[in-house]
């Protein structure tokens, strides 16, 4: 007997998944056991790229999650509601769920996984982070015997595309964003991508799996790329860096608090993440004893995401076929405790700062002295040129506590010679 799918959504991801399932030749034989039983959409009149009979398509999504014949619900509609309620209802009705919805998982993961565990069913989310890149199952299974130190990712394709083009063409942020929207890489409302919110959802999910605890999304420090200028990209290049929007989860020892953050970062040109360009994603996992492992691939798109969604479906088909009553701990998210998150002031990192100052003697000396007074050691301090009448000074620090750096900066802002501090970026 076939395994019956109820798919919620037939947009980019839903359509890619149906196409993959309808063309199973040469793929895993278990795919042939899957029946696309119901598909829920908003509008029945919309032209579709896949052929489905009229009995399969419906606008009544509740009827799918309540249908006793449905074995697996595939939520690829996106958004918070009604996606959250439909997922919860499907789980309560004893159905396994596959979802690509990082926004819902990052916000409602606690109640979703609690409901799943109580019902003895699984929630699978390989497509929620990194599109087609297999990273969720590796963190749950293949890498789970390691003591994870850091998970560092370029996990938003839109921002990586924009930063890459700014880097290669010397273009302005606003010009590249407009072009990315025209080409369909960036959404009409790009806020979630540009302001780092999409990457924050994703790193919250990765951190939760890598470090075995729930993450409160509000604790994830989040800064987007709106303030990254072509001037900083050019300076970074001269100094041997590229600027990337990194999502980082890091824990020094198993008993230390976790640091989870998203911000534009100067990445050394020789670092493995520095060469990840365009819409591609990559996730670098560092653990003990394995060392470094990097996952690279397409972070979005119909085919890539369908690959991840369908691999989750396949795992569940295997579970249903073996008919085991015992929940497999390597497929569930069993942790209930929240991770303790370190305040940003305690973060130890390097900084890059660009100052516009009046061109007068002693400014560089005063900057150096002030940083020194707060224990901020400088790797370099250079006057790089002029913007009109103002001198441009660029500072790169050694590793310092963020709190100390901020205190020094607060004092420096009041120096009469300082006109402005247009950029402040962290350095990997
Ligand atoms: P999409 O193209 O906008 O498609 C959404 C689908 O859901 C449409 O078929 C829509 O119906 C249906 N839908 C939405 N709200 C509905 C409602 N209230 N009632 C009934 N149907 C509803 O979205 P997508 O790009 O496929 O993304 C889906 C999910 O995958 C999101 O959570 C997204 O974050 C995630 N994801 C996407 C990508 C990607 O590359 N696109 C990659 C990774 C993860 P109609 O067709 O009738 O409008
Ligand atoms: N908006 C996301 C990105 C799509 O740009 O990476 C995949 O989650």
């Amino acid at each position: 007997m076939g395994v019956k799918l109820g798919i919620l959504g037939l947009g980019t991801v839903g359509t890619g998944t149906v196409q993959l399932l309808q063309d199973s030749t040469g793929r895993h034989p278990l795919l042939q056991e899957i029946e696309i039983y119901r598909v829920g959409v908003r509008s029945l009149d919309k032209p579709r790229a896949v052929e489905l009979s009229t009995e399969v398509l419906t606008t009544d999504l509740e009827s799918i999650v309540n249908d006793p014949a449905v074995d697996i619900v595939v939520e690829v509609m996106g958004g918070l509601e009604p996606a959250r309620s439909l997922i919860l209802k499907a789980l309560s009705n004893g159905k396994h769920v596959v979802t690509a919805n990082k926004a819902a998982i990052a916000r409602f993961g606690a109640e979703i996984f609690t409901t799943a565990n109580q019902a003895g069913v699984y929630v699978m989310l390989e497509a929620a982070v990194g599109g087609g890149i297999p990273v969720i199952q590796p963190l749950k299974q293949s890498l789970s015997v390691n003591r994870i130190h850091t998970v560092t990712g370029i996990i938003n394709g839109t921002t990586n595309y924009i930063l890459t083009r700014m880097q290669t063409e010397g273009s302005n942020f606003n010009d590249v964003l407009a072009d990315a929207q025209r080409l369909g890489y960036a959404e009409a409302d790009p806020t979630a991508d540009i302001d780092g919110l999409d990457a924050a959802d994703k790193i919250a999910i990765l951190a939760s799996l890598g470090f075995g605890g729930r993450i409160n999304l509000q604790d994830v420090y989040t800064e987007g790329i709106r303030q990254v200028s072509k001037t900083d990209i050019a300076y970074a290049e001269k100094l041997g860096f590229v600027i990337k929007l990194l999502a980082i989860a890091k824990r020094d020892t198993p008993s230390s608090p976790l640091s989870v953050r998203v911000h534009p970062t100067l990445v050394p040109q020789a670092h493995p993440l520095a060469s990840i360009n365009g819409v591609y994603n990559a996730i670098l996992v560092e653990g003990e004893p394995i060392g470094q492992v990097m996952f690279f691939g397409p972070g979005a798109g119909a085919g890539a995401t369908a690959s991840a969604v369908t691999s989750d479906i396949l795992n569940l088909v295997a579970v249903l076929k073996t008919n085991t009553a015992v929940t497999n701990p390597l497929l569930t998210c069993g942790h209930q405790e929240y991770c303790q998150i370190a305040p940003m002031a305690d973060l130890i990192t390097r900084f890059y700062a660009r100052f516009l100052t009046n061109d007068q003697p002693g400014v560089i000396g005063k900057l150096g002295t002030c940083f020194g007074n707060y224990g901020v050691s400088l790797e370099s301090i250079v006057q790089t040129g002029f913007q009109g009448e103002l001198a441009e000074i660029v500072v790169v620090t050694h590793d310092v506590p963020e709190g100390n750096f901020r205190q020094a900066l607060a004092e420096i802002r009041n120096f009469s010679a300082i006109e402005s501090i247009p950029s402040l970026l962290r350095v990997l």
Side-chain angles (χ1 to χ4, degrees):
M1 207 174 70
V3 171
K4 290 185 167 52
L5 296 189
I7 303 179
L8 311 178
L10 191 58
T12 304
V13 181
T15 301
T17 303
V18 169
Q19 280 170 335
L20 199 160
L21 288 167
Q22 287 181 336
D23 178 20
S24 62
T25 311
R27 311 190 202 276
H28 198 288
L30 267 184
L31 288 177
Q32 284 154 19
E33 314 248 342
I34 299 168
E35 181 186 347
I36 300 169
Y37 182 70
R38 304 306 302 277
V39 178
V41 291
R42 201 187 270 123
S43 156
L44 290 177
D45 301 328
K46 221 181 199 179
R48 305 286 170 187
V50 285
E51 266 188 42
L52 292 166
S53 70
T54 44
E55 302 89 73
V56 169
L57 274 181
T58 178
T59 54
D60 184 359
L61 276 61
E62 288 269 344
S63 74
I64 297 179
V65 297
N66 288 326
D67 187 335
V70 170
D71 300 297
I72 301 171
V73 166
V74 181
E75 186 278 300
V76 284
M77 61 190 293
L80 299 181
E81 285 292 358
R84 168 189 159 274
S85 304
L86 290 166
I87 290 172
L88 290 172
K89 211 160 276 176
L91 296 170
S92 302
N93 287 334
K95 297 174 197 320
H96 300 294
V97 167
V98 174
T99 179
N101 194 333
K102 62 258 167 178
I105 292 293
R107 282 160 190 79
F108 312 124
E111 68 177 326
I112 287 173
F113 288 110
T114 301
T115 307
N117 293 341
Q118 282 165 356
V121 290
Y122 299 107
V123 179
M124 307 289 282
L125 54 138
E126 190 60 71
V129 184
I133 304 172
V135 63
I136 302 286
Q137 281 311 103
L139 278 173
K140 279 194 204 168
Q141 299 188 353
S142 336
L143 295 173
S144 61
V145 296
N146 287 274
R147 201 171 287 130
I148 304 295
H149 298 312
T150 50
V151 178
T152 310
I154 294 175
I155 46 180
N156 183 266
T158 306
T159 46
N160 203 43
Y161 173 81
I162 292 172
L163 291 174
T164 303
R165 282 200 50 192
M166 287 173 73
Q167 167 96 32
T168 49
E169 296 166 13
S171 315
N172 279 312
F173 169 78
N174 285 326
D175 295 343
V176 181
L177 173 59
D179 215 25
Q181 284 173 311
R182 196 179 51 75
L183 292 167
Y185 289 128
E187 298 194 20
D189 177 3
T191 311
D193 294 317
I194 299 302
D195 291 334
L197 309 172
D198 174 76
D201 290 346
K202 291 169 177 170
I203 194 66
I205 293 170
L206 294 181
S208 169
L209 295 171
F211 297 96
R214 290 176 174 167
I215 305 289
N216 194 341
L217 193 59
Q218 282 80 16
D219 292 338
V220 180
Y221 174 84
T222 307
E223 205 181 302
I225 63 161
R226 284 184 204 270
Q227 82 287 13
V228 176
S229 68
K230 65 177 186 183
T231 309
D232 293 309
I233 288 181
Y235 277 135
E237 192 171 0
K238 275 190 207 154
L239 294 163
F241 298 98
V242 291
I243 298 182
K244 296 287 183 192
L245 183 71
L246 293 190
I248 304 171
K250 186 167 193 277
R251 186 167 68 186
D252 292 329
T253 70
S255 57
S256 338
L258 191 61
S259 144
V260 192
R261 52 205 164 92
V262 173
H263 50 70
T265 312
L266 274 75
V267 179
Q269 281 161 359
H271 190 278
L273 288 169
S275 56
I276 309 304
N277 288 324
V279 291
Y280 281 96
N281 283 196
I283 300 109
L284 179 70
V285 180
E286 294 170 274
E288 186 265 313
I290 191 161
Q292 292 190 331
V293 185
M294 193 157 98
F295 301 85
F296 165 78
T305 317
S307 163
V309 167
T310 313
S311 75
D312 279 348
I313 296 171
L314 205 66
N315 262 303
L316 294 174
V317 171
V319 167
L320 290 165
K321 283 273 154 199
T322 49
N323 212 5
T324 170
V326 183
T327 317
N328 178 346
L330 294 181
L331 287 181
T332 55
C333 281
H335 48 252
Q336 321 262 317
E337 303 295 320
Y338 278 84
C339 290
Q340 195 197 343
I341 307 292
M344 282 301 278
D346 293 353
L347 177 70
I348 306 291
T349 182
R350 289 196 287 163
F351 279 95
Y352 157 101
R354 182 161 59 89
F355 301 86
L356 287 178
T357 78
N358 294 315
D359 188 26
Q360 61 193 48
V363 179
I364 287 184
K366 277 186 81 177
L367 283 175
T369 305
C370 183
F371 278 125
N373 290 343
Y374 287 94
V376 174
S377 165
L378 301 184
E379 187 176 292
S380 69
I381 179 164
V382 279
Q383 181 171 335
T384 48
F386 286 88
Q387 288 219 8
E389 297 287 290
L390 297 170
E392 201 159 36
I393 296 173
V394 167
V395 163
V396 177
T397 74
H398 286 294
D399 265 342
V400 295
E402 175 144 348
N404 291 30
F405 182 80
R406 297 257 173 212
Q407 282 178 306
L409 218 58
E411 199 170 309
I412 289 167
R413 276 183 209 283
N414 294 325
F415 289 180
S416 58
I418 299 290
E419 190 65 26
S420 64
I421 309 175
S423 322
L424 190 58
L425 295 165
R426 294 173 189 81
V427 181
L428 196 64

